Amino acid sequence: MTTREQIAELEARVSELVLGQAHIIRHVLLGLLANGHVLLESLPGLAKTRTVKALATHLEAQMRRIQFTPDLLPSDITGGEILQQTAEGNQIKFQPGPLFGNVILADEINRAPAKVQAALLEAMEERQITVAGQSYPMPGLFMVLATQNPIEQEGTYPLPEAQMDRFLMKVQLDYPKVEDETQVLRLVRGEEQAAQGTRQAPVRLPQEVVFAARREMAGVHVSESIDRYLIDLINATRHPADYDADLARWINIGASPRGGISLDRVSRAHAWLAGNEFVSPDDVRAVVHPVLRHRLQLSYDAIADGVNADQVLDRLLDKVAIPA
């Protein structure tokens, strides 16, 4: 099979375990292909953790789960230096923490204080951890999939803007359709019955296939007009008054240059996964919401008008013209 067919098969296998969330699985795969991190947000019980576990089950990767709690310390996730007794005497050695894995599930990331959240910044952006002046690189395949509940405020610490900006995408899960939820019940029953017997080892996709997909994705052509469209969208979030009066009232702070880079990477991943050799405006528009929704800071006027980030981006797409 070709690299694209193997990635498509991975998507199909994950979809068999997570029903009714096809677009979420697609966005997580786009994050994997674009070598970025994804923030999953939804009410409890909508398969955030299950999606991550299903991906790790069918990927030749080491999954590490970190349950974020208010009493967590930075060294609990990054690791630290410990004193070890050896034949040569006592030595101080670095003990890697759970962050040194391939697929990192940062469960309920907003339940840990800012100092713990900040411990992820270097790892997510620079793919390394520095302890006592010594840098330790992360694995070649390294992806943070963080989850959070948007409605619970007690005992939570909102993610700072610098942390949010390091997530390639923010994906929001919703309730499944009725027919999908019926299938979920049957799936869970089947899993309970299978747990009593012999389990069949899952087919796992080698990491090299992911690396090969990234190399192919890098060859997807992006025209000058698409580059201009990407920059126009980002610039419109910074200077909304040039495009629409309502946008000017709603947007307080726009997207950073990292937002433009992320939009380019995910657009290329979307085009490659669709089998295209070039990025089209439809590829860009298909990923604008997950890439930019967490990079906008809305004003009090937007909150008063009952407007959310997705509605702002809808208006933005209507107002920013596609270059010829």
Side-chain angles (χ1 to χ4, degrees):
M1 290 192 296
T2 65
T3 302
R4 185 178 294 104
E5 289 172 343
Q6 292 181 77
I7 296 295
E9 187 173 337
L10 172 64
E11 182 178 13
R13 291 180 187 140
V14 176
S15 298
E16 291 176 357
L17 298 177
V18 184
L19 303 178
Q21 302 289 1
H23 70 290
I24 304 303
I25 298 170
R26 172 58 61 94
H27 287 149
V28 169
L29 275 181
L30 290 176
L32 177 67
L33 293 173
N35 196 18
H37 313 288
V38 180
L39 177 62
L40 303 173
E41 183 179 271
S42 79
L43 300 175
L46 294 186
K48 299 186 295 295
T49 302
R50 184 182 178 90
T51 300
V52 180
K53 287 184 174 180
L55 175 66
T57 297
H58 292 288
L59 189 61
E60 195 177 80
Q62 183 180 41
M63 176 185 166
R64 296 289 185 86
R65 174 174 178 166
I66 307 173
Q67 183 65 54
F68 280 67
T69 57
D71 60 344
L72 205 64
L73 297 175
S75 59
D76 292 334
I77 62 175
T78 63
E81 293 185 323
I82 62 173
L83 183 65
Q84 290 184 339
Q85 292 182 346
T86 65
E88 300 175 356
N90 293 336
Q91 294 183 353
I92 295 178
K93 293 186 177 182
F94 175 69
Q95 180 68 39
L99 199 57
F100 284 84
N102 301 123
V103 178
I104 310 300
L105 171 57
D107 207 13
E108 297 192 81
I109 188 173
N110 58 333
R111 290 197 175 278
K115 62 182 179 180
V116 178
Q117 296 173 7
L120 289 171
L121 296 180
E122 183 183 13
M124 292 175 66
E125 184 65 21
E126 300 177 35
R127 308 300 172 114
Q128 66 176 26
I129 288 294
T130 301
V131 177
Q134 179 68 38
S135 296
Y136 302 91
M138 311 306 293
L141 178 61
F142 175 69
M143 182 182 189
V144 176
L145 290 153
T147 70
Q148 68 175 10
N149 179 352
I151 62 170
E152 289 186 356
Q153 302 299 325
E154 186 176 353
T156 63
Y157 304 82
L159 297 180
E161 285 73 14
Q163 179 90 38
M164 293 288 286
D165 201 37
R166 280 168 170 78
F167 283 103
L168 184 72
M169 293 187 290
K170 177 183 176 182
V171 181
Q172 295 175 328
L173 289 76
D174 201 354
Y175 292 111
K177 297 179 180 178
V178 174
E179 54 270 21
D180 290 328
E181 196 160 4
T182 302
Q183 295 298 321
V184 168
L185 295 177
R186 296 171 182 170
L187 175 64
V188 173
R189 290 194 199 107
E191 290 177 344
E192 292 174 349
Q193 294 173 358
Q196 308 301 322
T198 303
R199 293 187 179 184
Q200 185 177 3
V203 179
R204 310 186 77 183
L205 183 75
Q207 292 187 23
E208 180 53 39
V209 176
V210 177
F211 298 144
R214 291 174 180 174
R215 290 192 293 269
E216 292 183 12
M217 192 190 79
V220 174
H221 178 68
V222 184
S223 66
E224 292 185 5
S225 62
I226 294 297
D227 280 342
R228 177 64 185 274
Y229 186 46
L230 287 170
I231 297 304
D232 284 348
L233 287 171
I234 298 299
N235 188 61
T237 67
R238 302 170 187 164
H239 307 286
D242 296 341
Y243 295 85
D244 183 71
D246 285 333
L247 288 175
R249 290 193 309 107
W250 293 338
I251 299 177
N252 199 16
I253 299 177
S256 68
R258 188 186 285 123
I261 295 172
S262 299
L263 187 57
D264 169 66
R265 286 163 55 191
V266 181
S267 297
R268 284 188 284 118
H270 188 275
W272 180 86
L273 201 55
N276 300 325
E277 297 181 355
F278 59 89
V279 176
S280 69
D282 289 338
D283 292 315
V284 178
R285 296 169 69 90
V287 299
V288 160
H289 291 79
V291 173
L292 295 185
R293 65 164 57 107
H294 59 296
R295 304 180 195 273
L296 302 182
Q297 186 178 102
L298 302 186
S299 66
Y300 288 110
D301 286 337
I303 298 174
D305 292 346
V307 175
N308 59 33
D310 283 354
Q311 292 170 315
V312 171
L313 290 171
D314 287 339
R315 176 70 67 88
L316 200 72
L317 290 172
D318 287 339
K319 296 299 180 181
V320 178
I322 301 175

